[in-house]
Amino acid sequence: MDEAYGREEWREDEGGAEDEARRRIAEAARTGAEVLDFSDLTALTTLPAELADLTGLRRLFAGDFRADGRETPFYGRRLTDISALAALTGLTTLDLSRTPVLDIRTLAALTGLTTLDLSYTEVSEIGALAALTGLTTLHLSGTQVSEISILLQFPAFAEEGAEYLSFQGTPAADPEKDRRLYMLSRLDPQRSAIETVQYLKGTHPDFRDPPGGRATQPLAERLAEASPVSFDVAQGQLAATNPGTPERVAPKELTLRIQALRAHLAILQTEAAAKQVPEGVKARLTAYAAPLQMDEPTYILLDGPMSFLRGAVADPFVTDGLEKGFVEGWRQLVTMHDDLRPLLLPPEEEDDLPPLAPEATPEEGIKLADAAIEVAEEAEGPGGTDQNVAAALRAIREYFEVAKANGKLRPGMVRRGLRALGGTLAHITYLGAAGTAVSQWLATPQGQAFLAKLQPILEIILKFFPL
């Protein structure tokens, strides 16, 4: 880092920071510089009055970022008095991020501003910004701002041509106050700049009233409520906490399959007891029977014992000495288990989601599930996701495999599968309540990278439910 940046005296001593600010102002006046960087003067409490003489200044950085776009490593800023800015009507970019600035009435005079960063300041009232009709980029994340309808007074925003908006972690994005604004605050800032304004104008495509006149939830939120999986953070990893609770989609079909599987297993156990079947095989059948007898068997309990049974029946060393009928019955048990497993997902209830588009097929579901699984597997490890996240997605993928092989039930199964897959991705992407461990994980670099890769997959799924 150059010698004229970041000296300790400017970070600790208010007088030293003020002297350096005046020196830089004088240098800018001498050279006609259009950019001034105070981002390392963390001890500065008041912008010097001499700043008003720099009428040619266009960009001023007194917050988190340097003029070259790099983030400064210095914290603990003290700047509160920005009244000297009033004369800088030609200023186009102003960064006050992570300063304790509270009163921004001075900014009303800066009618040339196009980019303003107030993120992580103490600002709560932004009515003074109404005069800044040229704003195209606005950072509000981490502030105390609770009302953002002022966006409609900025032409670029109102015309849906703004470049950037961030307001995560503000009272305006409180999920308890307005779940929709919370979701919109979580979008990529470029999209948020457009879709938040659409919401404020009442033109957002996901917020139109249905024929009955009831305001609907955004499609992504409605999908999220159908998620078969809940999430938490354990040991720093995003964890799937219930990948495999029983569904209630087709209770009759599910009940019949479980009953048939139990009956078939009982026959196998009876034959195993009467014939010369190795004790190891008998033990594995018993281990599988235990969770299968539960009122609500789940795949996460059944898959462990079944993995042994599946592997053993494929091993000629184990099966060659056994009666062929018993071995065939054993293979049928594996097949019946595999047919049941995709059904062990959470309930599907009647919903008000739009009808599926014709291009929604089991093959498309498999492709999207594979993409989501790949993202989850790439993220596995410390600070990333645990193995159950990918396991839950694999279970949904197998649901599509069954749908692909079952023409009679295919339409309903595809819809259930897309609800489950889309719901899981939407749940991760949109509905981690602010302040929870999940939302904190999602804010980490690993979480942000994970979201960025899941978002395009979710957007494809949303298109299968055209409004």
Side-chain angles (χ1 to χ4, degrees), residues 10-197:
W10 305 332
R11 292 182 277 125
E12 302 294 336
D13 177 49
E14 181 179 346
E18 289 180 358
D19 290 344
E20 176 59 17
R22 291 190 177 94
R23 187 197 70 78
R24 294 183 188 182
I25 291 171
E27 179 67 13
R30 184 184 68 81
T31 62
E34 295 185 348
V35 181
L36 196 57
D37 191 341
F38 289 164
S39 62
D40 61 328
L41 307 183
T42 57
L44 190 67
T45 61
T46 303
L47 292 178
E50 292 87 343
L51 189 64
D53 298 329
L54 298 182
T55 55
L57 194 66
R58 297 293 177 263
R59 303 167 65 211
L60 175 61
F61 298 85
D64 239 4
F65 292 90
R66 299 188 61 176
D68 59 9
R70 288 181 292 169
E71 188 171 2
T72 177
F74 308 128
Y75 295 93
R77 292 181 177 79
R78 306 175 194 172
L79 181 63
T80 56
D81 188 344
I82 58 173
S83 55
L85 292 173
L88 303 182
T89 56
L91 204 64
T92 60
T93 299
L94 177 61
D95 179 9
L96 297 173
S97 58
R98 292 196 187 277
T99 66
V101 165
L102 176 61
D103 186 351
I104 60 170
R105 287 175 292 181
T106 297
L107 302 186
L110 307 186
T111 54
L113 274 183
T114 59
T115 298
L116 176 61
D117 192 342
L118 296 173
S119 57
Y120 301 97
T121 64
E122 300 298 320
V123 171
S124 60
E125 173 54 52
I126 57 174
L129 304 183
L132 308 186
T133 55
L135 274 183
T136 61
T137 296
L138 182 59
H139 302 249
L140 296 174
S141 291
T143 65
Q144 294 303 307
V145 173
S146 60
E147 175 56 58
I148 60 172
S149 58
I150 193 174
L151 295 174
L152 299 179
Q153 299 184 47
F154 306 140
F157 281 89
E159 295 167 9
E160 301 176 21
E163 298 176 1
Y164 188 105
L165 173 67
S166 67
F167 63 104
Q168 287 192 54
T170 65
D174 182 350
E176 299 300 322
K177 176 183 176 183
D178 192 323
R179 173 69 72 173
R180 296 165 182 174
L181 279 178
Y182 165 70
M183 292 167 59
L184 292 167
S185 76
R186 299 284 299 279
L187 295 177
D188 175 271
Q190 286 76 23
R191 287 185 57 199
S192 182
I194 296 173
E195 296 195 28
T196 300
V197 168

Side-chain angles (χ1 to χ4, degrees), residues 301-312:
L301 296 176
L302 291 172
D303 266 12
M306 177 50 68
S307 65
F308 291 105
L309 289 168
R310 180 182 284 107

